[in-house]
């Protein structure tokens, strides 16, 4: 019985976190059917095979181009039935998580989000999930036959394990009641590396003194092909857009490398970055709490250290 | 217009997290409890809407044992009219959602606001489940919410941007900043909160599909390696060869 994976996309491209979901489902070892909704590029769909899907369903109805939670949930429930799948895996995201909730409620599934490891099936079916905003974990048993598993970023590594497959068109009958929510317009950051997906994040705090000084961080980010982030006061003061705010009440990131510049390291900020693999802190105050959570630290003035760091990285590239 | 705001009672964001009873219970010793920060945003927005809408009321609801009452009173002190506590230890998201949905059916609200996620379980799902159980639309994470008659205009966050939406009442929203600014209770609010109605309701029974086995703390972090400010090349070497992240 295959595991069904909901594949999210933006501008026709499959999200990296969804490739991780396919990889996670593949590692469960019972076969994977991936399903993508709305407008997705043909090559992107085929590539899902490379990451471990045996079968790729594509519900290409243009009404599904927008991420409408209820409609997506209904299509996924239908696909679970058609594929005779008991388990749905998806990546936790601002869309994936609410969709998971509605799917689980529709089919009375056991639901777990922010799962960080493969299921333990030695006795029953248990998963480990991240709680207290990264400060702890809990092991929970998913008792129902049907299960919906949302995985946290980096719970699995997307890697090539198979060959491209041809996507199968998947016809769905859409129900008007599922389109009660209408999307009227959107504002998207384009051309930048998206914060939740980035492998490297360069983040600035109040120590940057003002929005006019972000150039040196953007330059460093560009050199590293990194996304830019910030602390809460920085977005509260509108120095940076809200979607860059990292922490307890903002985006939770889990990059390979998080570089924090002029951020004191308040516990609420740390809650958003504690899943990072490696943390570098640059702060002029040797007593800044962030150093305790860091792997590498430099005590120094951001305006001096950051340009030097950018130059040193350019030198090795 | 009747608005329901569902609030959690969670450890203050600066709390150290510990467990007892063989890692099966959260250790409350020395922990301060607060309204979940996201719930606090939704509460603040609900009160703004109430103030702008003649006749509107705000009810707060928590599913929890009696020790959550000080947190519920805090919500009353910033301007909610009355409160409901469903007298049960929340076991999982579905259990909580079912209690909220049953209560909502018995009253008939026009709008249910929640936080995008709780900061203890971080599930981000209770609003979606409640929406499904009531057959209402649900939207999350909502960063802007304006009511215009029977219709609402919202903005929700998506990865790297936002989308603007329209939906008719009733619906459920999971909220986050900058939907409103947190409200701080004043003396009059605190006094009046003491006498506002707080109704205790017994839970409906629910078959939970999720069972806690145990809690776990992450391994302690290794010591930080300090590098001199005039030696950034050393940092780059370490990132490349030791941490292997470049
Ligand atoms: C419920 C709640 C939720 C919160 N959620 C979040 C959240 O999600 N994210 C978040 O970030 N915060 C959050 N906060 C706020 C948090 O408590 C801190 O206030 C905030 O993180 C501080 O931001 P900062 O480090 O940029 O500023 P500051 O604390 O002012 O620190 C600035 C730092 O810059 C350093 N500095 C100054 N000049 C220089 C220079 N020239 N070069 C190098 N370093 C310099 C200083 O030494 C200092 O360490 C929350 C707070 C509460 C109560
Ligand atoms: N025990 C509870 N009582 C009342 N509301 C709750 C409870 N648990 C969760 N909620 C609401 O559901 C939202 C999402 O919670 P969660 O799905 O646990 O992340 C919270 O922000 C609250 O608004």
């Amino acid at each position: 019985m295959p595991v069904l994976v909901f594949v999210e996309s933006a501008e026709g491209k499959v999200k990296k976190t969804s490739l991780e979901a396919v990889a996670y489902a593949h590692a469960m070892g019972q076969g994977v059917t991936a399903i993508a909704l709305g407008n997705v590029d043909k090559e992107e769909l085929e590539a899902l095979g490379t990451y471990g899907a045996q079968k790729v369903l594509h519900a290409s109805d243009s009404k599904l181009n927008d991420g409408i939670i209820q409609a997506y949930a209904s299509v996924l429930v239908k696909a679970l039935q058609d594929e005779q799948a008991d388990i749905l895996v998806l990546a936790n995201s601002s869309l994936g998580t609410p969709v998971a909730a509605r799917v689980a409620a529709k089919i009375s599934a056991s639901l777990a989000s922010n799962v960080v490891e493969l299921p333990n099936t030695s006795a029953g079916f248990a998963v480990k999930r991240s709680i207290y905003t990264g400060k702890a974990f809990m092991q929970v048993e998913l008792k129902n036959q049907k299960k919906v598993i949302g995985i946290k970023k980096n719970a699995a590594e997307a890697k090539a394990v198979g060959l491209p497959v041809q996507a199968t068109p998947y016809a769905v009958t859409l129900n008007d009641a599922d389109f009660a929510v209408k999307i009227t317009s959107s504002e998207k950051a384009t051309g930048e590396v998206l914060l939740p997906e980035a492998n490297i994040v360069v983040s600035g705090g109040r120590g940057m003194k003002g929005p006019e000084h972000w150039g040196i961080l953007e330059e460093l980010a560009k050199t590293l092909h990194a996304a830019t982030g910030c602390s809460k006061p920085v977005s509260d003061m509108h120095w940076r857009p809200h979607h860059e705010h990292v922490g307890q009440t903002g985006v939770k990131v889990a990059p390979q490398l998080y570089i924090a510049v002029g951020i004191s390291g308040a516990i609420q900020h740390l809650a958003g970055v504690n899943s990072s693999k490696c943390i570098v802190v640059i702060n002029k105050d040797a007593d800044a709490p962030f150093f305790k959570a860091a792997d590498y630290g430099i005590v120094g003035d951001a305006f001096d250290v950051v340009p030097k760091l950018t130059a040193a990285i350019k030198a090795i590239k | 217009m009747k608005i329901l705001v569902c609030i959690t009672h969670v450890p203050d964001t600066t709390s150290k997290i510990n467990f007892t009873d063989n890692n099966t219970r959260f250790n409350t010793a020395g922990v301060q409890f607060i309204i979940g920060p996201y719930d606090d945003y939704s509460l603040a927005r609900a009160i703004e809407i109430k103030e702008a809408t003649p006749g509107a009321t705000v009810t707060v609801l928590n599913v929890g044992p009696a020790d959550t009452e000080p947190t519920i009173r805090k919500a009353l002190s910033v301007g909610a009219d009355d409160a409901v506590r469903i007298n049960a230890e929340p076991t999982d998201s579905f259990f909580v959602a079912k209690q909220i949905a049953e209560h909502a059916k018995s009253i008939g609200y026009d709008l249910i606001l929640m936080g995008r996620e709780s900061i203890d379980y971080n599930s981000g799902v209770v609003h979606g489940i409640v929406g499904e159980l009531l057959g209402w639309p649900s939207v999350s994470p909502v960063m802007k919410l304006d009511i215009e008659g029977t219709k609402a205009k919202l903005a929700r966050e998506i990865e790297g941007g936002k989308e603007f939406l329209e939906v008719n009442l009733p619906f459920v929203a999971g909220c986050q900043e900058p939907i409103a600014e947190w409200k701080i209770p004043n003396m009059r609010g605190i006094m009046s909160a003491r006498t506002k109605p707080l109704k205790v309701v017994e839970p409906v029974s629910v078959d939970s599909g999720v069972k806690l086995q145990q809690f776990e703390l992450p391994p302690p972090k290794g010591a930080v390696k300090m590098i001199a400010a005039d030696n950034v090349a050393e940092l780059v070497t370490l990132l490349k060869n030791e941490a292997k992240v470049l």
Side-chain angles (χ1 to χ4, degrees):
Chain A
M1 211 181 266
V3 170
L4 186 73
V5 178
F6 163 48
V7 170
E8 245 188 276
S9 60
E11 321 285 321
K13 302 275 176 284
V14 167
K15 291 196 172 177
K16 183 168 152 259
T17 47
S18 290
L19 297 179
E20 293 172 359
V22 172
Y24 180 97
H26 172 76
M28 288 170 69
Q30 46 187 99
V32 177
T33 298
I35 178 164
L37 313 185
N39 164 41
V40 191
D41 297 352
K42 190 162 166 280
E43 310 77 59
E44 291 277 314
L45 291 168
E46 286 175 6
L48 293 169
T50 320
Y51 291 96
Q54 276 81 40
K55 185 170 172 188
V56 176
L57 301 177
H58 183 209
S60 62
D61 194 317
S62 63
K63 284 179 91 180
L64 298 170
N65 286 352
D66 284 334
I68 300 292
I69 297 168
Q70 283 171 282
Y72 274 34
S74 294
V75 173
L76 293 174
V77 166
K78 180 76 172 39
L80 282 164
Q81 274 164 8
D82 290 346
E83 291 299 302
Q84 298 185 318
D86 278 338
I87 304 180
L88 173 69
V89 170
L90 50 72
N92 282 124
S93 68
S94 52
L95 179 65
T97 308
V99 167
R102 292 199 79 123
V103 172
K106 275 182 195 291
I107 60 172
S108 300
S110 294
L111 168 63
S113 55
N114 290 322
V115 169
V116 294
E117 280 176 6
L118 280 172
N120 177 347
T121 49
S122 57
F125 188 110
V127 290
K128 181 169 160 177
R129 52 185 308 267
S130 166
I131 54 171
Y132 291 102
T133 322
K135 290 190 235 173
F137 299 98
M138 78 197 292
Q139 197 87 35
V140 289
E141 189 188 343
L142 304 184
K143 295 192 297 184
N144 297 356
Q145 168 117 25
K146 296 205 162 72
K147 300 168 179 61
V148 176
I149 301 175
I151 63 164
K152 196 172 161 154
K153 191 175 176 243
N154 283 351
E157 191 192 341
K159 50 176 189 266
V161 291
L163 294 172
V165 293
Q166 194 82 39
T168 314
Y170 185 64
V172 283
T173 316
L174 298 169
N175 177 353
D176 279 348
D178 282 342
F179 290 88
V181 176
K182 302 216 164 31
I183 298 183
T184 50
S185 63
S186 65
E187 266 174 35
K188 282 173 201 161
T190 47
E192 305 164 23
V193 183
L194 290 184
L195 183 56
E197 304 242 313
N199 275 325
I200 303 181
V201 175
V202 174
S203 206
R206 199 141 60 176
M208 292 303 295
K209 308 277 191 302
E212 67 278 16
H213 296 134
W214 242 259
I216 55 170
L217 295 185
E218 281 168 339
E219 183 66 23
L220 175 59
K222 211 172 112 200
T223 309
L224 289 166
H225 198 63
T228 49
C230 66
S231 66
K232 183 172 189 292
V234 165
S235 65
D236 285 349
M237 292 182 292
H238 305 292
W239 293 1
R240 299 297 294 174
H242 177 264
H243 65 254
E244 289 196 1
H245 152 205
V246 171
Q248 175 107 47
T249 48
V251 182
K252 280 96 190 158
V253 296
Q256 294 286 307
L257 174 59
Y258 186 81
I259 304 180
V261 185
I263 304 178
S264 58
I267 194 158
Q268 297 94 351
H269 187 83
L270 298 182
V273 306
N274 52 18
S275 305
S276 308
K277 182 165 175 234
C278 176
I279 296 178
V280 171
V281 169
I282 300 169
N283 195 302
K284 71 173 185 190
D285 174 8
D287 294 325
F290 218 145
F291 286 118
K292 290 205 180 67
D295 298 284
Y296 302 103
I298 293 183
V299 178
D301 189 323
F303 303 101
D304 168 44
V305 176
V306 172
K308 281 191 195 152
L309 180 57
T310 308
I313 291 162
K314 280 184 178 157
I316 64 154
K317 289 229 160 169
Chain B
M1 179 162 59
K2 284 196 196 134
I3 307 174
L4 178 69
V5 178
C6 301
I7 62 164
T8 53
H9 161 89
V10 290
D12 168 40
T13 51
T14 59
S15 310
K16 281 249 180 315
I17 305 300
N18 279 298
F19 303 102
T20 59
D21 296 13
N22 266 330
N23 285 325
T24 56
R25 280 188 84 81
F26 177 73
N27 185 356
T28 55
V31 172
Q32 289 261 21
F33 284 85
I34 57 167
I35 301 175
Y38 295 108
D39 314 340
D40 223 358
Y41 284 120
S42 64
L43 176 64
R45 186 65 193 132
I47 289 165
E48 288 174 358
I49 294 171
K50 165 189 142 109
E51 283 166 357
T53 317
T57 57
V58 174
T59 301
V60 288
L61 177 152
N62 171 260
V63 181
D67 22 327
T68 71
E69 289 196 3
T71 304
I72 300 175
R73 291 275 174 214
K74 165 120 193 285
L76 291 171
S77 74
V78 297
D81 298 283
D82 62 346
V84 177
R85 180 172 66 80
I86 313 243
N87 187 28
E89 193 71 56
T91 49
D92 75 312
S93 313
F94 190 74
F95 177 91
V96 170
K98 184 85 181 165
Q99 308 305 329
I100 296 172
E102 286 302 313
H103 167 76
K105 276 184 204 157
S106 75
I107 304 290
Y109 291 98
D110 301 292
L111 178 62
I112 302 182
L113 299 186
M114 304 195 192
R116 72 171 283 174
E117 69 185 52
S118 57
I119 66 160
D120 48 5
Y121 294 114
N122 303 110
S123 303
V125 297
V126 169
H127 32 77
I129 303 174
V130 169
E132 192 60 42
L133 292 174
L134 295 174
W136 294 7
S138 58
V139 189
S140 175
V142 174
M143 51 200 298
K144 192 171 183 299
L145 167 63
D146 291 305
I147 307 289
E148 295 173 4
T150 57
K151 200 182 194 172
K153 290 193 170 162
L154 302 85
R156 78 167 165 191
E157 186 154 279
I158 54 171
E159 275 73 23
K162 51 184 155 181
E163 281 175 340
F164 300 92
L165 320 169
E166 282 182 11
V167 62
N168 287 329
L169 299 172
F171 63 94
V172 188
C175 306
Q176 68 169 36
E177 64 174 349
I179 195 161
E181 302 234 357
W182 287 323
K183 295 217 179 314
I184 298 158
N186 57 26
M187 209 51 207
R188 221 180 87 227
I190 295 168
M191 297 305 288
S192 69
R194 292 187 187 159
T195 52
K196 284 182 179 171
L198 193 171
K199 201 164 109 193
V200 178
V201 178
E202 290 309 312
V204 292
S205 79
V206 175
D207 270 339
S208 283
V210 178
K211 185 163 171 273
L212 169 74
Q213 291 181 329
Q214 70 171 0
F215 294 113
E216 202 179 302
L217 290 173
K221 184 105 190 160
V224 55
K225 232 179 227 180
M226 297 305 291
I227 294 135
D230 54 9
N231 198 8
V232 286
E234 166 78 6
L235 173 63
V236 176
T237 309
L238 287 168
L239 291 176
K240 188 157 191 274
N241 301 331
E242 189 179 71
K244 298 192 167 58
V245 290
L246 287 188

